[in-house]
Amino acid sequence: MTTSPPAGRPHLAGAASAPGTLDRSLEPGQHPTHRSAITQLRDLEMALEQAGEELFAVVPFAGDDLTGAVINGYVDRTVADLRNLQSRVAQLRQVLHLAARSSADPSGQEDRR
Amino acid sequence: MTWSPQPERAAPPVLGDPASIAALSASMHRVARLIAGAVEAVEPLTGPQRRQGGELREITREAARLVAEVERGAEALSEHGADLADSLGLAHRIVDRAAPLGLRVDGTVVQPAAGVLGVADAGAEETREQHRRRLQRVLDTVLIELDASRRAVQRRLESGRTDPRASRRTSR
């Protein structure tokens, strides 16, 4: 995992909500952006999962074997890419979750309990 | 009316289901919009999470690549679905035109229908042969155009893909 500082999003500009929005369900000591970033990543994860399921649900009949195989192969590879990305998002979400927990409990007492 | 037993069911000249291909194309457009919307809602990491900013940028870059690729694939499938629908319609018309002329379309071949069709007449036979050649030419054109469309969609679906691991390696 890279550790370079963020320099804004390279693609898909135009966020749905303003950055740094306070999440009112934060726990004491938690950084305001932690929870919202985790929630956003969870939403992205779910979108990727839903996308994969939707693509697999449609069964095209191309009419000839070669075209059918190419289309099916394309869908399979796309779904594999979606799942790969989904697992990366899940991993990042988990890292952020752990970081949020440790910043809320810097002494590590929670872990020792 | 023929006095001999009915021939076996002829194979259709064109196979395929344009509706299912259009459905896949529509699903792909929907999926692309879904992912693009979810990625747009993800804000850059700030505060202590900035250390993970690089990974988040890579994820959004990969998601943008996937969205573009799925959109391109959807477009290719949509165009091929329209071509397939046209070919099916034209092939259906050729089959319909062949029957009253005493001809039969079996797969990709237009041939004289089996059985006794009427009184033996050299002139009628010649006319029927002319009709057969003409319909065969039209059917060949339809099949060639469909083949070109199939090759095009195969090429576009295969060439539009890039190895995500390769793009990950180059972005680092």
Side-chain angles (χ1 to χ4, degrees):
Chain A
M1 185 174 294
T2 60
T3 55
S4 56
R9 279 168 294 158
H11 300 285
L12 302 166
S17 57
T21 306
L22 285 174
D23 191 329
R24 301 199 185 284
S25 59
L26 292 174
E27 292 171 11
Q30 197 171 0
H31 192 277
T33 57
H34 293 179
R35 186 67 178 265
S36 61
I38 289 169
T39 308
Q40 289 162 6
L41 288 175
R42 190 181 293 126
D43 289 346
L44 176 58
E45 216 180 309
M46 286 169 66
L48 290 167
E49 186 176 356
Q50 190 185 332
E53 284 172 4
E54 183 165 347
L55 287 185
F56 258 145
V58 187
V59 183
F61 175 51
D64 87 313
D65 291 343
L66 183 58
T67 311
V70 169
I71 293 175
N72 288 339
Y74 176 83
V75 171
D76 289 350
R77 287 191 303 269
T78 303
V79 170
D81 285 353
L82 290 171
R83 288 191 175 154
N84 186 33
L85 188 60
Q86 186 190 341
S87 69
R88 285 177 70 186
V89 173
Q91 202 174 353
L92 177 60
R93 183 171 62 81
Q94 203 158 8
V95 169
L96 293 182
H97 183 75
L98 288 171
R101 205 168 61 181
S102 64
S103 70
D105 182 20
S107 61
Q109 285 174 352
E110 192 180 316
D111 290 339
R112 283 198 289 273
R113 256 181 254 150
Chain B
M1 183 172 180
T2 59
W3 293 98
S4 49
Q6 285 294 311
E8 287 180 15
R9 184 181 288 270
V14 175
L15 287 171
D17 178 18
S20 65
I21 291 176
L24 177 59
S25 172
S27 277
M28 287 165 70
H29 278 304
R30 206 164 35 244
V31 157
R33 281 197 301 273
L34 177 73
I35 298 170
V39 172
E40 282 181 14
V42 177
E43 296 159 9
L45 296 174
T46 55
Q49 263 64 50
R50 289 179 68 185
R51 279 185 301 176
Q52 272 72 47
E55 173 65 0
L56 181 62
R57 277 199 304 280
E58 276 193 23
I59 285 173
T60 53
R61 197 178 294 125
E62 171 65 7
R65 183 193 69 79
L66 265 175
V67 165
E69 191 176 289
V70 170
E71 286 283 10
R72 277 196 302 271
E75 206 58 45
L77 283 172
S78 172
E79 286 172 22
H80 176 61
D83 289 345
L84 179 59
D86 285 348
S87 299
L88 276 167
L90 287 168
H92 197 72
R93 282 179 62 187
I94 291 168
V95 171
D96 285 349
R97 294 273 297 276
L101 297 170
L103 299 168
R104 177 174 184 258
V105 180
D106 190 4
T108 59
V109 180
V110 183
Q111 58 194 12
V116 178
L117 300 170
V119 180
D121 176 6
E125 285 292 316
E126 178 58 31
T127 306
R128 193 167 65 154
E129 178 57 20
Q130 285 173 6
H131 286 313
R132 191 197 68 74
R133 284 202 206 113
R134 188 170 52 80
L135 283 182
Q136 184 68 64
R137 274 200 302 274
V138 177
L139 180 59
D140 287 346
T141 306
V142 170
L143 294 174
I144 287 167
E145 285 180 4
L146 177 61
D147 186 59
S149 174
R150 282 179 168 151
R151 285 173 192 274
V153 75
Q154 288 166 18
R155 199 171 48 244
R156 286 171 72 181
L157 291 182
E158 285 178 336
S159 70
R161 294 200 56 88
T162 50
D163 184 1
R165 286 165 300 182
S167 64
R168 248 184 112 178
R169 279 194 296 271
T170 53
S171 68
R172 288 188 177 194

